[in-house]
PDB file of all heavy atoms in Angstrom:
ATOM      1  N   CYS A   1      88.870  95.807  98.628  1.00  0.00           N
ATOM      2  CA  CYS A   1      89.879  96.584  97.919  1.00  0.00           C
ATOM      3  C   CYS A   1      90.882  95.613  97.327  1.00  0.00           C
ATOM      4  O   CYS A   1      91.618  94.953  98.070  1.00  0.00           O
ATOM      5  CB  CYS A   1      90.573  97.573  98.858  1.00  0.00           C
ATOM      6  SG  CYS A   1      91.919  98.500  98.093  1.00  0.00           S
ATOM      7  N   ALA A   2      90.892  95.529  96.016  1.00  0.00           N
ATOM      8  CA  ALA A   2      91.782  94.623  95.310  1.00  0.00           C
ATOM      9  C   ALA A   2      92.981  95.386  94.771  1.00  0.00           C
ATOM     10  O   ALA A   2      92.824  96.434  94.136  1.00  0.00           O
ATOM     11  CB  ALA A   2      91.045  93.931  94.173  1.00  0.00           C
ATOM     12  N   ALA A   3      94.148  94.862  95.021  1.00  0.00           N
ATOM     13  CA  ALA A   3      95.387  95.481  94.571  1.00  0.00           C
ATOM     14  C   ALA A   3      95.957  94.718  93.388  1.00  0.00           C
ATOM     15  O   ALA A   3      96.019  93.491  93.400  1.00  0.00           O
ATOM     16  CB  ALA A   3      96.413  95.519  95.701  1.00  0.00           C
ATOM     17  N   SER A   4      96.364  95.457  92.385  1.00  0.00           N
ATOM     18  CA  SER A   4      97.085  94.882  91.260  1.00  0.00           C
ATOM     19  C   SER A   4      98.548  95.264  91.372  1.00  0.00           C
ATOM     20  O   SER A   4      98.883  96.336  91.881  1.00  0.00           O
ATOM     21  CB  SER A   4      96.505  95.357  89.931  1.00  0.00           C
ATOM     22  OG  SER A   4      96.642  96.766  89.794  1.00  0.00           O
ATOM     23  N   GLY A   5      99.404  94.401  90.896  1.00  0.00           N
ATOM     24  CA  GLY A   5     100.819  94.623  91.063  1.00  0.00           C
ATOM     25  C   GLY A   5     101.293  94.092  92.401  1.00  0.00           C
ATOM     26  O   GLY A   5     100.493  93.734  93.261  1.00  0.00           O
ATOM     27  N   SER A   6     102.574  94.058  92.601  1.00  0.00           N
ATOM     28  CA  SER A   6     103.155  93.516  93.819  1.00  0.00           C
ATOM     29  C   SER A   6     103.200  94.567  94.917  1.00  0.00           C
ATOM     30  O   SER A   6     103.729  95.664  94.723  1.00  0.00           O
ATOM     31  CB  SER A   6     104.565  92.998  93.547  1.00  0.00           C
ATOM     32  OG  SER A   6     105.166  92.513  94.731  1.00  0.00           O
ATOM     33  N   ILE A   7     102.615  94.230  96.082  1.00  0.00           N
ATOM     34  CA  ILE A   7     102.686  95.126  97.236  1.00  0.00           C
ATOM     35  C   ILE A   7     103.726  94.643  98.240  1.00  0.00           C
ATOM     36  O   ILE A   7     103.884  95.248  99.301  1.00  0.00           O
ATOM     37  CB  ILE A   7     101.321  95.278  97.921  1.00  0.00           C
ATOM     38  CG1 ILE A   7     100.816  93.930  98.454  1.00  0.00           C
ATOM     39  CG2 ILE A   7     100.311  95.880  96.957  1.00  0.00           C
ATOM     40  CD1 ILE A   7      99.545  94.045  99.278  1.00  0.00           C
ATOM     41  N   PHE A   8     104.396  93.543  97.903  1.00  0.00           N
ATOM     42  CA  PHE A   8     105.466  92.986  98.722  1.00  0.00           C
ATOM     43  C   PHE A   8     104.946  92.426 100.039  1.00  0.00           C
ATOM     44  O   PHE A   8     103.794  92.629 100.419  1.00  0.00           O
ATOM     45  CB  PHE A   8     106.573  94.031  98.930  1.00  0.00           C
ATOM     46  CG  PHE A   8     107.093  94.605  97.650  1.00  0.00           C
ATOM     47  CD1 PHE A   8     106.621  95.818  97.160  1.00  0.00           C
ATOM     48  CD2 PHE A   8     108.038  93.918  96.913  1.00  0.00           C
ATOM     49  CE1 PHE A   8     107.094  96.340  95.968  1.00  0.00           C
ATOM     50  CE2 PHE A   8     108.517  94.427  95.706  1.00  0.00           C
ATOM     51  CZ  PHE A   8     108.046  95.635  95.238  1.00  0.00           C
ATOM     52  N   SER A   9     105.805  91.716 100.748  1.00  0.00           N
ATOM     53  CA  SER A   9     105.367  90.946 101.901  1.00  0.00           C
ATOM     54  C   SER A   9     105.282  91.756 103.186  1.00  0.00           C
ATOM     55  O   SER A   9     104.419  91.506 104.023  1.00  0.00           O
ATOM     56  CB  SER A   9     106.288  89.740 102.111  1.00  0.00           C
ATOM     57  OG  SER A   9     107.635  90.156 102.301  1.00  0.00           O
ATOM     58  N   ASN A  10     106.154  92.707 103.373  1.00  0.00           N
ATOM     59  CA  ASN A  10     106.181  93.510 104.590  1.00  0.00           C
ATOM     60  C   ASN A  10     105.410  94.809 104.351  1.00  0.00           C
ATOM     61  O   ASN A  10     105.961  95.791 103.852  1.00  0.00           O
ATOM     62  CB  ASN A  10     107.614  93.807 105.012  1.00  0.00           C
ATOM     63  CG  ASN A  10     107.699  94.461 106.371  1.00  0.00           C
ATOM     64  OD1 ASN A  10     106.791  94.365 107.181  1.00  0.00           O
ATOM     65  ND2 ASN A  10     108.814  95.132 106.632  1.00  0.00           N
ATOM     66  N   ASN A  11     104.126  94.800 104.712  1.00  0.00           N
ATOM     67  CA  ASN A  11     103.292  95.951 104.395  1.00  0.00           C
ATOM     68  C   ASN A  11     102.137  96.066 105.369  1.00  0.00           C
ATOM     69  O   ASN A  11     101.833  95.145 106.122  1.00  0.00           O
ATOM     70  CB  ASN A  11     102.748  95.857 102.961  1.00  0.00           C
ATOM     71  CG  ASN A  11     101.832  94.671 102.753  1.00  0.00           C
ATOM     72  OD1 ASN A  11     100.667  94.703 103.178  1.00  0.00           O
ATOM     73  ND2 ASN A  11     102.342  93.627 102.115  1.00  0.00           N
ATOM     74  N   VAL A  12     101.498  97.213 105.323  1.00  0.00           N
ATOM     75  CA  VAL A  12     100.274  97.467 106.069  1.00  0.00           C
ATOM     76  C   VAL A  12      99.200  97.906 105.086  1.00  0.00           C
ATOM     77  O   VAL A  12      99.430  98.812 104.279  1.00  0.00           O
ATOM     78  CB  VAL A  12     100.467  98.554 107.141  1.00  0.00           C
ATOM     79  CG1 VAL A  12      99.143  98.872 107.829  1.00  0.00           C
ATOM     80  CG2 VAL A  12     101.507  98.121 108.167  1.00  0.00           C
ATOM     81  N   MET A  13      98.036  97.277 105.145  1.00  0.00           N
ATOM     82  CA  MET A  13      96.892  97.694 104.356  1.00  0.00           C
ATOM     83  C   MET A  13      95.868  98.310 105.296  1.00  0.00           C
ATOM     84  O   MET A  13      95.732  97.878 106.443  1.00  0.00           O
ATOM     85  CB  MET A  13      96.277  96.521 103.597  1.00  0.00           C
ATOM     86  CG  MET A  13      97.260  95.818 102.668  1.00  0.00           C
ATOM     87  SD  MET A  13      96.504  94.521 101.638  1.00  0.00           S
ATOM     88  CE  MET A  13      95.732  95.543 100.360  1.00  0.00           C
ATOM     89  N   GLY A  14      95.172  99.319 104.812  1.00  0.00           N
ATOM     90  CA  GLY A  14      94.255  99.998 105.695  1.00  0.00           C
ATOM     91  C   GLY A  14      93.077 100.622 104.987  1.00  0.00           C
ATOM     92  O   GLY A  14      93.025 100.688 103.756  1.00  0.00           O
ATOM     93  N   TRP A  15      92.126 101.050 105.806  1.00  0.00           N
ATOM     94  CA  TRP A  15      90.956 101.782 105.352  1.00  0.00           C
ATOM     95  C   TRP A  15      90.913 103.131 106.034  1.00  0.00           C
ATOM     96  O   TRP A  15      91.112 103.234 107.248  1.00  0.00           O
ATOM     97  CB  TRP A  15      89.663 101.019 105.648  1.00  0.00           C
ATOM     98  CG  TRP A  15      89.465  99.812 104.793  1.00  0.00           C
ATOM     99  CD1 TRP A  15      89.789  98.527 105.086  1.00  0.00           C
ATOM    100  CD2 TRP A  15      88.882  99.793 103.486  1.00  0.00           C
ATOM    101  NE1 TRP A  15      89.450  97.698 104.046  1.00  0.00           N
ATOM    102  CE2 TRP A  15      88.891  98.451 103.050  1.00  0.00           C
ATOM    103  CE3 TRP A  15      88.356 100.773 102.640  1.00  0.00           C
ATOM    104  CZ2 TRP A  15      88.393  98.071 101.806  1.00  0.00           C
ATOM    105  CZ3 TRP A  15      87.864 100.393 101.409  1.00  0.00           C
ATOM    106  CH2 TRP A  15      87.887  99.059 101.003  1.00  0.00           C
ATOM    107  N   TYR A  16      90.650 104.155 105.253  1.00  0.00           N
ATOM    108  CA  TYR A  16      90.444 105.507 105.735  1.00  0.00           C
ATOM    109  C   TYR A  16      89.094 105.987 105.228  1.00  0.00           C
ATOM    110  O   TYR A  16      88.534 105.419 104.291  1.00  0.00           O
ATOM    111  CB  TYR A  16      91.548 106.440 105.243  1.00  0.00           C
ATOM    112  CG  TYR A  16      92.917 106.180 105.850  1.00  0.00           C
ATOM    113  CD1 TYR A  16      93.649 105.048 105.511  1.00  0.00           C
ATOM    114  CD2 TYR A  16      93.476 107.081 106.752  1.00  0.00           C
ATOM    115  CE1 TYR A  16      94.896 104.807 106.064  1.00  0.00           C
ATOM    116  CE2 TYR A  16      94.729 106.852 107.308  1.00  0.00           C
ATOM    117  CZ  TYR A  16      95.432 105.713 106.957  1.00  0.00           C
ATOM    118  OH  TYR A  16      96.670 105.485 107.506  1.00  0.00           O
ATOM    119  N   ARG A  17      88.572 107.037 105.839  1.00  0.00           N
ATOM    120  CA  ARG A  17      87.316 107.591 105.358  1.00  0.00           C
ATOM    121  C   ARG A  17      87.347 109.104 105.476  1.00  0.00           C
ATOM    122  O   ARG A  17      88.045 109.671 106.302  1.00  0.00           O
ATOM    123  CB  ARG A  17      86.119 107.017 106.124  1.00  0.00           C
ATOM    124  CG  ARG A  17      86.052 107.400 107.596  1.00  0.00           C
ATOM    125  CD  ARG A  17      84.917 106.660 108.279  1.00  0.00           C
ATOM    126  NE  ARG A  17      84.786 107.026 109.679  1.00  0.00           N
ATOM    127  CZ  ARG A  17      83.953 106.440 110.531  1.00  0.00           C
ATOM    128  NH1 ARG A  17      83.166 105.444 110.114  1.00  0.00           N
ATOM    129  NH2 ARG A  17      83.895 106.843 111.797  1.00  0.00           N
ATOM    130  N   GLN A  18      86.559 109.736 104.617  1.00  0.00           N
ATOM    131  CA  GLN A  18      86.474 111.184 104.603  1.00  0.00           C
ATOM    132  C   GLN A  18      85.042 111.609 104.338  1.00  0.00           C
ATOM    133  O   GLN A  18      84.482 111.294 103.285  1.00  0.00           O
ATOM    134  CB  GLN A  18      87.406 111.782 103.549  1.00  0.00           C
ATOM    135  CG  GLN A  18      87.491 113.298 103.590  1.00  0.00           C
ATOM    136  CD  GLN A  18      88.626 113.834 102.738  1.00  0.00           C
ATOM    137  OE1 GLN A  18      89.099 113.176 101.825  1.00  0.00           O
ATOM    138  NE2 GLN A  18      89.071 115.039 103.058  1.00  0.00           N
ATOM    139  N   ALA A  19      84.457 112.300 105.296  1.00  0.00           N
ATOM    140  CA  ALA A  19      83.124 112.851 105.148  1.00  0.00           C
ATOM    141  C   ALA A  19      83.227 114.260 104.576  1.00  0.00           C
ATOM    142  O   ALA A  19      84.263 114.917 104.712  1.00  0.00           O
ATOM    143  CB  ALA A  19      82.406 112.877 106.497  1.00  0.00           C
ATOM    144  N   PRO A  20      82.163 114.759 103.932  1.00  0.00           N
ATOM    145  CA  PRO A  20      82.205 116.113 103.379  1.00  0.00           C
ATOM    146  C   PRO A  20      82.566 117.149 104.433  1.00  0.00           C
ATOM    147  O   PRO A  20      81.993 117.160 105.524  1.00  0.00           O
ATOM    148  CB  PRO A  20      80.785 116.319 102.859  1.00  0.00           C
ATOM    149  CG  PRO A  20      80.291 114.941 102.564  1.00  0.00           C
ATOM    150  CD  PRO A  20      80.889 114.081 103.637  1.00  0.00           C
ATOM    151  N   GLY A  21      83.527 117.984 104.109  1.00  0.00           N
ATOM    152  CA  GLY A  21      83.950 119.026 105.025  1.00  0.00           C
ATOM    153  C   GLY A  21      84.825 118.557 106.168  1.00  0.00           C
ATOM    154  O   GLY A  21      85.171 119.363 107.038  1.00  0.00           O
ATOM    155  N   LYS A  22      85.176 117.284 106.185  1.00  0.00           N
ATOM    156  CA  LYS A  22      85.989 116.731 107.257  1.00  0.00           C
ATOM    157  C   LYS A  22      87.328 116.235 106.728  1.00  0.00           C
ATOM    158  O   LYS A  22      87.495 115.992 105.533  1.00  0.00           O
ATOM    159  CB  LYS A  22      85.258 115.580 107.955  1.00  0.00           C
ATOM    160  CG  LYS A  22      83.910 115.964 108.553  1.00  0.00           C
ATOM    161  CD  LYS A  22      84.078 116.920 109.713  1.00  0.00           C
ATOM    162  CE  LYS A  22      82.725 117.275 110.322  1.00  0.00           C
ATOM    163  NZ  LYS A  22      82.065 116.099 110.945  1.00  0.00           N
ATOM    164  N   GLN A  23      88.284 116.072 107.640  1.00  0.00           N
ATOM    165  CA  GLN A  23      89.576 115.522 107.276  1.00  0.00           C
ATOM    166  C   GLN A  23      89.483 114.007 107.102  1.00  0.00           C
ATOM    167  O   GLN A  23      88.642 113.349 107.706  1.00  0.00           O
ATOM    168  CB  GLN A  23      90.620 115.858 108.339  1.00  0.00           C
ATOM    169  CG  GLN A  23      90.937 117.336 108.487  1.00  0.00           C
ATOM    170  CD  GLN A  23      92.007 117.595 109.527  1.00  0.00           C
ATOM    171  OE1 GLN A  23      92.260 116.759 110.398  1.00  0.00           O
ATOM    172  NE2 GLN A  23      92.642 118.746 109.432  1.00  0.00           N
ATOM    173  N   ARG A  24      90.357 113.481 106.274  1.00  0.00           N
ATOM    174  CA  ARG A  24      90.433 112.044 106.127  1.00  0.00           C
ATOM    175  C   ARG A  24      90.971 111.437 107.422  1.00  0.00           C
ATOM    176  O   ARG A  24      91.941 111.937 107.996  1.00  0.00           O
ATOM    177  CB  ARG A  24      91.335 111.670 104.951  1.00  0.00           C
ATOM    178  CG  ARG A  24      91.342 110.190 104.622  1.00  0.00           C
ATOM    179  CD  ARG A  24      92.148 109.898 103.360  1.00  0.00           C
ATOM    180  NE  ARG A  24      91.582 110.579 102.192  1.00  0.00           N
ATOM    181  CZ  ARG A  24      92.000 110.369 100.947  1.00  0.00           C
ATOM    182  NH1 ARG A  24      92.978 109.502 100.713  1.00  0.00           N
ATOM    183  NH2 ARG A  24      91.437 111.034  99.949  1.00  0.00           N
ATOM    184  N   GLU A  25      90.333 110.368 107.891  1.00  0.00           N
ATOM    185  CA  GLU A  25      90.718 109.756 109.141  1.00  0.00           C
ATOM    186  C   GLU A  25      90.942 108.261 108.986  1.00  0.00           C
ATOM    187  O   GLU A  25      90.331 107.602 108.141  1.00  0.00           O
ATOM    188  CB  GLU A  25      89.651 109.996 110.216  1.00  0.00           C
ATOM    189  CG  GLU A  25      88.311 109.344 109.925  1.00  0.00           C
ATOM    190  CD  GLU A  25      87.320 109.495 111.068  1.00  0.00           C
ATOM    191  OE1 GLU A  25      87.718 109.910 112.166  1.00  0.00           O
ATOM    192  OE2 GLU A  25      86.130 109.191 110.851  1.00  0.00           O
ATOM    193  N   LEU A  26      91.809 107.741 109.824  1.00  0.00           N
ATOM    194  CA  LEU A  26      92.082 106.314 109.848  1.00  0.00           C
ATOM    195  C   LEU A  26      90.884 105.554 110.394  1.00  0.00           C
ATOM    196  O   LEU A  26      90.298 105.949 111.402  1.00  0.00           O
ATOM    197  CB  LEU A  26      93.313 106.039 110.706  1.00  0.00           C
ATOM    198  CG  LEU A  26      93.646 104.573 110.991  1.00  0.00           C
ATOM    199  CD1 LEU A  26      94.135 103.889 109.716  1.00  0.00           C
ATOM    200  CD2 LEU A  26      94.692 104.473 112.087  1.00  0.00           C
ATOM    201  N   VAL A  27      90.522 104.468 109.734  1.00  0.00           N
ATOM    202  CA  VAL A  27      89.465 103.583 110.208  1.00  0.00           C
ATOM    203  C   VAL A  27      90.064 102.320 110.811  1.00  0.00           C
ATOM    204  O   VAL A  27      89.774 101.958 111.952  1.00  0.00           O
ATOM    205  CB  VAL A  27      88.484 103.220 109.077  1.00  0.00           C
ATOM    206  CG1 VAL A  27      87.450 102.210 109.569  1.00  0.00           C
ATOM    207  CG2 VAL A  27      87.806 104.473 108.540  1.00  0.00           C
ATOM    208  N   ALA A  28      90.894 101.637 110.044  1.00  0.00           N
ATOM    209  CA  ALA A  28      91.491 100.391 110.504  1.00  0.00           C
ATOM    210  C   ALA A  28      92.690 100.050 109.644  1.00  0.00           C
ATOM    211  O   ALA A  28      92.757 100.433 108.475  1.00  0.00           O
ATOM    212  CB  ALA A  28      90.485  99.234 110.464  1.00  0.00           C
ATOM    213  N   THR A  29      93.633  99.328 110.224  1.00  0.00           N
ATOM    214  CA  THR A  29      94.794  98.839 109.486  1.00  0.00           C
ATOM    215  C   THR A  29      95.042  97.383 109.844  1.00  0.00           C
ATOM    216  O   THR A  29      94.649  96.910 110.914  1.00  0.00           O
ATOM    217  CB  THR A  29      96.070  99.647 109.787  1.00  0.00           C
ATOM    218  OG1 THR A  29      96.399  99.537 111.176  1.00  0.00           O
ATOM    219  CG2 THR A  29      95.899 101.106 109.409  1.00  0.00           C
ATOM    220  N   ILE A  30      95.699  96.690 108.933  1.00  0.00           N
ATOM    221  CA  ILE A  30      96.095  95.315 109.182  1.00  0.00           C
ATOM    222  C   ILE A  30      97.468  95.085 108.578  1.00  0.00           C
ATOM    223  O   ILE A  30      97.703  95.356 107.403  1.00  0.00           O
ATOM    224  CB  ILE A  30      95.052  94.309 108.637  1.00  0.00           C
ATOM    225  CG1 ILE A  30      95.480  92.873 108.951  1.00  0.00           C
ATOM    226  CG2 ILE A  30      94.799  94.516 107.148  1.00  0.00           C
ATOM    227  CD1 ILE A  30      94.361  91.855 108.738  1.00  0.00           C
ATOM    228  N   HIS A  31      98.373  94.614 109.407  1.00  0.00           N
ATOM    229  CA  HIS A  31      99.729  94.336 108.979  1.00  0.00           C
ATOM    230  C   HIS A  31      99.769  93.011 108.233  1.00  0.00           C
ATOM    231  O   HIS A  31      98.902  92.153 108.420  1.00  0.00           O
ATOM    232  CB  HIS A  31     100.647  94.297 110.208  1.00  0.00           C
ATOM    233  CG  HIS A  31     102.104  94.196 109.919  1.00  0.00           C
ATOM    234  ND1 HIS A  31     102.767  92.991 109.872  1.00  0.00           N
ATOM    235  CD2 HIS A  31     103.032  95.151 109.656  1.00  0.00           C
ATOM    236  CE1 HIS A  31     104.038  93.206 109.596  1.00  0.00           C
ATOM    237  NE2 HIS A  31     104.223  94.502 109.465  1.00  0.00           N
ATOM    238  N   SER A  32     100.784  92.848 107.399  1.00  0.00           N
ATOM    239  CA  SER A  32     100.942  91.594 106.684  1.00  0.00           C
ATOM    240  C   SER A  32     101.132  90.420 107.637  1.00  0.00           C
ATOM    241  O   SER A  32     100.851  89.277 107.273  1.00  0.00           O
ATOM    242  CB  SER A  32     102.111  91.676 105.706  1.00  0.00           C
ATOM    243  OG  SER A  32     103.290  92.137 106.335  1.00  0.00           O
ATOM    244  N   GLY A  33     101.602  90.706 108.867  1.00  0.00           N
ATOM    245  CA  GLY A  33     101.725  89.684 109.884  1.00  0.00           C
ATOM    246  C   GLY A  33     100.443  89.385 110.631  1.00  0.00           C
ATOM    247  O   GLY A  33     100.409  88.444 111.431  1.00  0.00           O
ATOM    248  N   GLY A  34      99.398  90.182 110.405  1.00  0.00           N
ATOM    249  CA  GLY A  34      98.097  89.907 110.980  1.00  0.00           C
ATOM    250  C   GLY A  34      97.624  90.862 112.062  1.00  0.00           C
ATOM    251  O   GLY A  34      96.438  90.858 112.402  1.00  0.00           O
ATOM    252  N   ASN A  35      98.501  91.672 112.619  1.00  0.00           N
ATOM    253  CA  ASN A  35      98.089  92.606 113.666  1.00  0.00           C
ATOM    254  C   ASN A  35      97.153  93.664 113.109  1.00  0.00           C
ATOM    255  O   ASN A  35      97.359  94.179 112.012  1.00  0.00           O
ATOM    256  CB  ASN A  35      99.299  93.271 114.299  1.00  0.00           C
ATOM    257  CG  ASN A  35     100.134  92.314 115.122  1.00  0.00           C
ATOM    258  OD1 ASN A  35      99.640  91.304 115.613  1.00  0.00           O
ATOM    259  ND2 ASN A  35     101.417  92.629 115.280  1.00  0.00           N
ATOM    260  N   THR A  36      96.129  94.012 113.885  1.00  0.00           N
ATOM    261  CA  THR A  36      95.131  94.983 113.457  1.00  0.00           C
ATOM    262  C   THR A  36      95.072  96.163 114.409  1.00  0.00           C
ATOM    263  O   THR A  36      95.451  96.065 115.581  1.00  0.00           O
ATOM    264  CB  THR A  36      93.738  94.352 113.360  1.00  0.00           C
ATOM    265  OG1 THR A  36      93.376  93.794 114.633  1.00  0.00           O
ATOM    266  CG2 THR A  36      93.720  93.248 112.315  1.00  0.00           C
ATOM    267  N   ASN A  37      94.560  97.268 113.894  1.00  0.00           N
ATOM    268  CA  ASN A  37      94.375  98.475 114.673  1.00  0.00           C
ATOM    269  C   ASN A  37      93.109  99.157 114.191  1.00  0.00           C
ATOM    270  O   ASN A  37      92.843  99.204 112.986  1.00  0.00           O
ATOM    271  CB  ASN A  37      95.577  99.406 114.521  1.00  0.00           C
ATOM    272  CG  ASN A  37      95.479 100.630 115.403  1.00  0.00           C
ATOM    273  OD1 ASN A  37      95.267 100.526 116.601  1.00  0.00           O
ATOM    274  ND2 ASN A  37      95.638 101.811 114.809  1.00  0.00           N
ATOM    275  N   TYR A  38      92.315  99.691 115.143  1.00  0.00           N
ATOM    276  CA  TYR A  38      91.040 100.307 114.806  1.00  0.00           C
ATOM    277  C   TYR A  38      90.905 101.666 115.463  1.00  0.00           C
ATOM    278  O   TYR A  38      91.390 101.889 116.575  1.00  0.00           O
ATOM    279  CB  TYR A  38      89.864  99.446 115.271  1.00  0.00           C
ATOM    280  CG  TYR A  38      89.767  98.103 114.609  1.00  0.00           C
ATOM    281  CD1 TYR A  38      90.390  96.988 115.161  1.00  0.00           C
ATOM    282  CD2 TYR A  38      89.049  97.941 113.428  1.00  0.00           C
ATOM    283  CE1 TYR A  38      90.304  95.750 114.557  1.00  0.00           C
ATOM    284  CE2 TYR A  38      88.954  96.704 112.818  1.00  0.00           C
ATOM    285  CZ  TYR A  38      89.584  95.615 113.388  1.00  0.00           C
ATOM    286  OH  TYR A  38      89.488  94.383 112.782  1.00  0.00           O
TER     287      TYR A  38
END
């Protein structure tokens, strides 16, 4: 996932997924400082 424009230094990037008929759910996140969550 490539971002254009400035997302600034203090941020969290993440992945979500949505299957047909289901709610969108969190898959994983990563903080700009490096901490991850799954």
Side-chain angles (χ1 to χ4, degrees):
C1 176
S4 63
S6 178
I7 62 174
F8 306 97
S9 59
N10 188 21
N11 64 77
V12 176
M13 302 186 79
W15 289 95
Y16 291 71
R17 66 186 182 186
Q18 187 168 22
K22 302 293 181 65
Q23 295 182 340
R24 187 174 299 188
E25 65 175 348
L26 172 70
V27 176
T29 62
I30 182 167
H31 188 266
S32 52
N35 291 335
T36 58
N37 185 52
Y38 296 91

